[in-house]
Amino acid sequence: MTKRIKILPGGPYEVDSDIPLHRAKIVTDEKGDSKEWKIEGEYPDKPTEPYHLCRCGRSKNKPFCDGTHKETKFEVKERASRTPFIKQAKLYEGETLNLLDNEFLCASLRYCHERGGTWRNAVFSSSDENRDSAINSACNCASGRLVVTDKEGNPIEKDYEAEVDLIQDTKNDIKGPLWIKGDIQLIGQDGYEYEKRNRMTLCRCGQSTNMPYCDRHHLTCDHMKGLDEEK
């Protein structure tokens, strides 16, 4: 059966109970650029029934909802375009690869900095090193902003299982967005079924102007400072 996440009107994300919840730490290199992901074990406090993850950013029991959205009268419209990714993305044609880029989905996780940038490496992809780097850095782009394809247009993706990861921006010591993996069906407040994707990041600071997707506002939110505690 299709695994689902529902956006509750004015409230949290309701996540199917069989979707695992993990922490995903950004591992950086000596320059501070993102290098790889460290995925930690399943979050021990995850309920066995559908669980609710904070969307307003104000819960005192993060990552779970504690009802604070009712006190703050949290009301944020979903403003993200519902146009399919392929129709929004800019195409960069390379030597052996192409790159699709939808910059509106950027979550500022910095994996695209690898070896001079994903764009450069995709364009000059006749080199094995550039090709491998373009694929690796694009697949590490949790938001799905960047997608590498072969020259026939077939996406080159990691085979992610359905799960939710709490992104831990260790360089900036802040809680990042929710990393949604593995073609989970996201359902809007109005019942709209968003395009299923292998990778996307959902806002959990409550400030995104591209709700439900992350738009980097967590970087300046005081209530997102510090990493999620291991409970």
Side-chain angles (χ1 to χ4, degrees):
M1 295 179 63
T2 299
K3 293 177 170 57
R4 302 182 302 172
I5 296 175
K6 296 180 182 178
I7 304 172
L8 300 187
Y13 301 105
E14 182 177 270
V15 185
D16 282 354
S17 60
D18 59 349
I19 299 177
L21 178 66
H22 300 261
R23 297 201 316 164
K25 286 186 177 180
I26 297 174
V27 179
T28 58
D29 62 19
E30 63 279 357
K31 296 185 293 184
D33 288 334
S34 300
K35 179 180 178 182
E36 59 188 12
W37 289 101
K38 180 183 178 183
I39 309 300
E40 300 184 329
E42 186 165 359
Y43 216 68
D45 281 359
K46 183 182 79 64
T48 55
E49 66 273 1
Y51 57 99
H52 298 88
L53 297 177
C54 176
R55 185 166 66 101
C56 72
R58 301 290 180 175
S59 173
K60 296 178 178 60
N61 189 38
K62 290 185 184 72
F64 303 111
C65 172
D66 68 354
T68 300
H69 61 276
K70 297 176 183 177
E71 300 172 12
T72 59
K73 298 181 180 180
F74 177 66
E75 292 288 344
V76 176
K77 294 182 179 179
E78 294 164 38
R79 300 185 182 279
S81 171
R82 293 179 172 181
T83 302
F85 172 85
I86 191 70
K87 293 185 177 180
Q88 295 185 70
K90 182 176 180 179
L91 171 65
Y92 292 84
E93 294 195 48
E95 294 165 340
T96 67
L97 298 173
N98 288 338
L99 179 67
L100 298 171
D101 177 9
N102 181 354
E103 63 180 324
F104 295 108
L105 298 177
C106 184
S108 284
L109 302 174
R110 307 177 301 280
Y111 286 92
C112 57
H113 298 178
E114 182 179 313
R115 294 190 74 254
T118 308
W119 299 267
R120 169 193 172 277
N121 292 316
V123 169
F124 300 107
S125 51
S126 58
S127 156
D128 288 344
E129 291 83 359
N130 288 350
R131 178 185 174 85
D132 291 346
S133 178
I135 292 171
N136 183 64
S137 59
C139 288
N140 278 332
C141 173
S143 70
R145 167 187 173 171
L146 300 175
V147 175
V148 164
T149 75
D150 62 24
K151 297 302 286 183
E152 286 70 48
N154 301 303
I156 301 173
E157 289 276 346
K158 290 183 180 178
D159 186 18
Y160 286 124
E161 296 291 330
E163 68 178 53
V164 176
D165 289 344
L166 308 168
I167 291 177
Q168 313 295 300
D169 190 338
T170 51
K171 177 184 177 181
N172 294 309
D173 192 34
I174 55 175
K175 304 172 185 69
L178 300 176
W179 182 4
I180 311 302
K181 297 176 178 175
D183 295 319
I184 294 172
Q185 180 65 71
L186 178 65
I187 301 174
Q189 297 175 97
D190 60 356
Y192 175 78
E193 295 187 351
Y194 284 86
E195 178 182 22
K196 287 195 288 185
R197 303 193 64 214
N198 192 37
R199 297 172 279 126
M200 58 183 171
T201 48
L202 299 184
C203 172
R204 64 172 178 139
C205 71
Q207 303 298 312
S208 176
T209 57
N210 195 38
M211 193 70 82
Y213 303 119
C214 172
D215 74 346
R216 299 174 275 189
H217 265 85
H218 60 278
L219 293 168
T220 57
C221 289
D222 287 342
H223 53 273
M224 298 302 285
K225 289 182 178 178
L227 307 182
D228 288 284
E229 296 179 6
E230 294 186 61
K231 298 186 178 182

